[in-house]
Structure formats: structure tokens, C-alpha cells
Amino acid sequence: MSMQSFSRKFAVLFIIWALAVLSLASATQARAQDPLPSWNDGAAKQAILDFVQATTDQASPKFVAPAERIAVFDNDGTLWVEHPMYTQLAFALDRVKTLAPQHPEWREKPPFKHILDNNLPALAATGKQGLMELIMATHAGMTTQEFEKIVEDWLATARHPRFKRPYTELVYQPMLELLGYLRANGFKTFIVSGGGVEFMRPWTGKVYGIPPEQVVGSSIKTKYEQKNGQPAIVRLPEIDFIDDKAGKPVGINKFIGRRPLAAFGNSDGDLEMLQWTAAGPGARLMLLVHHTDAKREYAYDRKAHFGRLDEALDVSRQHGWVVVDMQKDWQRIFPSDK
Amino acid sequence: MSMQSFSRKFAVLFIIWALAVLSLASATQARAQDPLPSWNDGAAKQAILDFVQATTDQASPKFVAPAERIAVFDNDGTLWVEHPMYTQLAFALDRVKTLAPQHPEWREKPPFKHILDNNLPALAATGKQGLMELIMATHAGMTTQEFEKIVEDWLATARHPRFKRPYTELVYQPMLELLGYLRANGFKTFIVSGGGVEFMRPWTGKVYGIPPEQVVGSSIKTKYEQKNGQPAIVRLPEIDFIDDKAGKPVGINKFIGRRPLAAFGNSDGDLEMLQWTAAGPGARLMLLVHHTDAKREYAYDRKAHFGRLDEALDVSRQHGWVVVDMQKDWQRIFPSDK
């Protein structure tokens, strides 16, 4: 090979190599620039990007000052799995089994008897009264510090019956990206859940990056007292606040004190929160996660026992709110998915 | 004058000028470096500086991660003036006078009659029952948005009877500096006040740099409903939560969800909040503002009707908590002071 042809060959190879490197770099950059890589392109993803652009670009007529950027998220079914039952209910059932040896009377007494018999239909038939007795037996009577430890210990060992993983790993990767994307754009992210606030606060920081003071939920009453010479806050067997349905805007007003710009839910329990958010001026984002993916997660809506989505689905479609089709819109479901 | 003596004279003048500039610059720098310029040197100021140093210096054995740095402040008498009466009571009395033409029956009906007669002893004699009727007549029956506007309009025109200034200017300059100093060191600052949460939230952002979601206070119940086809949150004539005394740690647990590192108050209503704060591990700062300055502000403690400081003063001294002597420790009281 002449020196000249070697040079020419080298030049050609160099150009090919350079193009390859450049195209690789540009693909990497495109991925790096996509703040929502687990969202497939489509109307849902575009609506999120458009909303953030409209509220954060100073040149936009819908620009909102950073301090006013409030986003609220339901938890069960919106940020983590709520089937085959709410995680907090799984916690309560396990708790009854753990405490049963200290309560021999539970063997014959509903709703505890049904739990010990693994008879869920009978448990469900005990209704609101049974649920209250279950909550009070498993969630009250200890200090807030003791309850926090009980929750942490349970989460460390409990596994989801289908996915065989800790519940805190069964969070939705696309929603984690959405939380991060909103925060990177100056939004303050809150949980507004029907679940118990003290069941969530021990782990929302680690799992969602949401600190305890940004978690709104249902609660039981507490009492400050001296216990063994030390101040303690004791959990009482009495409901304080139910943060569900019309309780969600009330909870938002009570705990956050201003109307959100964006609200994310997945069930009829979130409808009033979305309506309250939508009724404010300027750019708004209302989004429902529709569980349509029986293969990767679950498919349920109008007839579900947990996370029923019926009226809210109709209202969302009527108003053109974003309805995420989990199967179509989400490339990955869980962080562990490929 | 010879050229030489001129040069010498010039050199001397130059040195004097340079020294003056340098000393001026160094004084300016010293002031700029003092994060609490309105605090006189002394034990109170030093305790604050030491606490911040201990919790924020990574080399300190008492270092606390930024996310855990929670500081809570009482409002009335701790951040702003509470004499001759709580500002919210002044608001309620003015509100009765404004609404009186629509309520001719108030002319003969306690507690309203006493307010219209400017008979404060008789009003006080109506006790808790009278206070409740007053709160419900002036704070309930409107939407949250309407109430916010009523508060804003009142604050814009109301003047303190002695200082003849808007109440929002009668905030303590040393405490504004303390709030800013803590935030500059990664602390999240909260108000935890016996006052009504929706009486405070409209203005705490502008005045203290504390956003609505970091204000904890007493509240009345609310209800979400459709009003003229629009979602609204309506204020109901029923107490929801009293954020005072043992209610303060309960409110902290309910709204913030973790124990503060530092707590600032000025009355017996703050005692349990300080005790709850003190009972946590590691470095803690508990501080009481003692009103000792009748000339620049007010002097009151054990016998005060508003902001009584009695048991909390004894407990503070017993535990070595910081007691600020307003007269001695504060170089300025209000932002407008020289």
C-alpha cells in the first residue's frame, strides 16, 4: 500500500470512526436530555412537558413563580402498587397475626377472627365498623416513635405476594422520573393520600425524595403526655381526619394552604383533588394513571375494590385531562424493569 | 514648600487616608460577617451561634444532615408584637364593628354588645363561650379565598394603637435575622402558633419568608363543596384544632412529622413545644423571648393576659434554656428602629 493510499484509507476510517463517536454521543445526549426516559412518546408525556414549559419559561404568559409551584400526588395506585390490596391493609392484616398470641379473644371475635382464618370476604363483610376496629387495634395505643419503628420493621421484611419484592421497590419508575423532573423545575412535590400519614412518612423521603412535612394523609388523634418521665406523643383509638375524596382538597388547604398547579391520581378518591386543582387560574395539569397492564402490573378501573376509577375517568375524558394508559405510555413500570 | 517636603507630606496624608479606608472596610466586613447584627453580644447570641456551628459543621460530633434541620417559631410575642392584645383579636373586634350594621341584634347580645360598647372587661368576662361566638361570627361562614382577602384588606389598613404602624411592620428585627441565619444554614423554618393558620398564611411569606405550607396553627373545620358551579372550601363554625400548649407538639407531629432541633417561643403556651424539642438527641436549642423592655416595646411575664410567661420561665432557667432579655440582648426591636 502506497503511503498516499494508506493516508486516504486512514482518513476514511477516521471519518467513519468520528461519525460513529459523534452519533453515539448525540444519542447519549438525547437520552440524557429526556427527563422522562421511561415515558413513551405520546399525548401524556407531551402534556407534561408542555405544562412544565408553560409554567417555568419566564417568557411564557403562564409563567408561575417558583414559590407557587405546588404539585400533589396520590400514593396508592399513583406512585406505588395498590393491588391485590392497599399495602397498609396488608400491613394491618400481618400486624393482627403478629399480635394474635397476646389476644386469645381474637380467635372468636370479628373482624380479627376472619383475618386469622384468612377469610377476606368475611372480613370485607364487616364493613366500616370492622375496618375501624382493625385500624384501632393495629395503629393505635403506642407512641408515634414506636409506630414508626413497627412500620419500618414490617417494610423491611414484607414481600408483595405476586412480585415477591419489598413494597418500596414496587413504585412506578415513570412517576419517580416525573417527581424528579418537577422538582428540577422548581416544583415542591407533596403526597396527598387516603393512606395513613404516619404509615407513609417513615419511607417517603428515601423512596420518593418527599420529606415527612410534605406528606398529607389520613390520621388518628394523638395526645402529648409524659411517659416514664419523657415527653411522648401517643396514638389514640379515634379517627382525626380522612384524606380521601372531598377530604383531599380540605387536606390540601389544611396542610399546604394553597391550591396546587398540578395533581396526579388514579381513582375516584382523587376526583375532588383534581377538580380543585383544575379550578385555579393559569396553566394546570390534571393526570390520572389508568391501570391497563395486567401483564406487567394490573388492569382495573370501574369495578375495582381497591382504587376504583369510574366517575373520575368520565370526568377526565370530558375535561380533556391527561389519562395515562399504563400499557401504552409507560416503557418501564418498576425501577427493576429492564 | 520644597518638592521633598511636599512628597513627605503627601506620603503621610496617603498613609492616613489608606488607614482610614482600611479600617472602614474592616468594620464593614465585620458587620457583614455578623449574621445577627441586631443582637448584642452576650450569652443568648452566643448560644445561637454555637448551636448553628455544632449542627452544621461536618466535623462536629453533633452535625445534623440538612434535611433534618427543622426549626419552629411561635408567632405572637416571639416574631411580632402581641400587646396590648393578640393581633387576631384586634382583627376580630374590628370585624364585629364592620359587620354590625348587618346584625342589629348584636346591639343587645353579648359578646358583640360589649365589643360595640368598647367594654373589654365585660367581653373578657364572657369567657371561652364568648370567645367562641366571636371567632365563629368573624372567622367562619365564608370561603377560604374570601377569608384570605378579608385578612389582607384588614392588615393593609389596620394600625397598632401605640406604634401607629401596620402590624406587619411590628415584627422583631433580631428574629428576622435569626430566621434568615437559620435558613442560610440549611434549616427549614416553621411557624407553630396558637393563632389561626388562615389568619397567618396570607402574609408570612412576605414578612418572614415562611411559605403557607410551613405555617402550623389553630384551625376551624372546612368543607369542600360546589358553590355557584365552582369548587370552593367553606369555613365552618366549628373548631378543628387548637395549636397551643400540649397541642403544639401534637401539631408539630401532625403537620411536620418530625421533631424540631430548635424551638423559639415566649410564653407558657410554648412550654410543651420546647420540652418536646429538648427531649430529642444531639444538639438542641430552646429559646424564650422575655419581654423586658417597656420603653421600646412592652414588659410583661407572669401576670400578663396575653403571652403569660410563668411556668415556662422557671422551667427554662432550671434547664439552662436560652432566655432572651429583650432590653439587654436586642440592639434594635423593629426593622424601622435606628
Side-chain angles (χ1 to χ4, degrees), chain A residues 188 201 213 240 253-254, chain B residues 188 201 213 240 254:
Chain A
K188 209 163 175 176
R201 281 176 168 163
E213 63 271 20
D240 181 35
N253 181 66
K254 187 201 286 255
Chain B
K188 211 164 174 176
R201 282 174 168 164
E213 63 270 20
D240 181 36
K254 184 200 288 253

Side-chain angles (χ1 to χ4, degrees), chain B residues 75-76 80-99 138-139 146-161 165-170 198-200 202-203 206:
Chain B
N75 185 40
D76 296 304
W80 77 350
V81 169
E82 67 182 343
H83 274 205
M85 68 175 73
Y86 297 135
T87 305
Q88 192 169 358
L89 181 55
F91 163 77
L93 301 187
D94 276 4
R95 190 82 194 135
V96 165
K97 290 172 188 171
T98 303
L99 295 174
T138 55
H139 286 68
E146 287 161 354
F147 185 69
E148 183 177 335
K149 181 150 178 14
I150 291 167
V151 170
E152 282 174 337
D153 289 350
W154 183 79
L155 280 173
T157 56
R159 294 294 177 271
H160 187 276
R165 288 178 169 278
Y167 288 94
T168 48
E169 292 181 16
L170 299 176
E198 299 204 74
F199 182 74
M200 297 182 282
W203 53 271
K206 272 172 287 183

Side-chain angles (χ1 to χ4, degrees), chain A residues 8-87:
Chain A
R8 199 176 302 129
K9 207 159 204 167
F10 179 80
V12 169
L13 281 171
F14 176 80
I15 287 167
I16 291 169
W17 172 82
L19 285 174
V21 166
L22 280 174
S23 86
L24 197 72
S26 119
T28 307
Q29 201 180 18
R31 264 204 307 278
Q33 280 174 350
D34 183 352
L36 302 170
S38 299
W39 290 73
N40 291 322
D41 290 336
K45 181 174 185 169
Q46 197 56 49
I48 296 168
L49 297 171
D50 289 348
F51 165 77
V52 169
Q53 163 75 19
T55 50
T56 60
D57 179 351
Q58 297 226 21
S60 157
K62 293 181 170 175
F63 175 79
V64 176
E68 300 284 333
R69 294 180 199 156
I70 303 286
V72 291
F73 290 78
D74 169 58
N75 185 40
D76 295 305
T78 299
L79 296 178
W80 77 350
V81 169
E82 66 183 344
H83 274 204
M85 68 175 73
Y86 298 134
T87 306

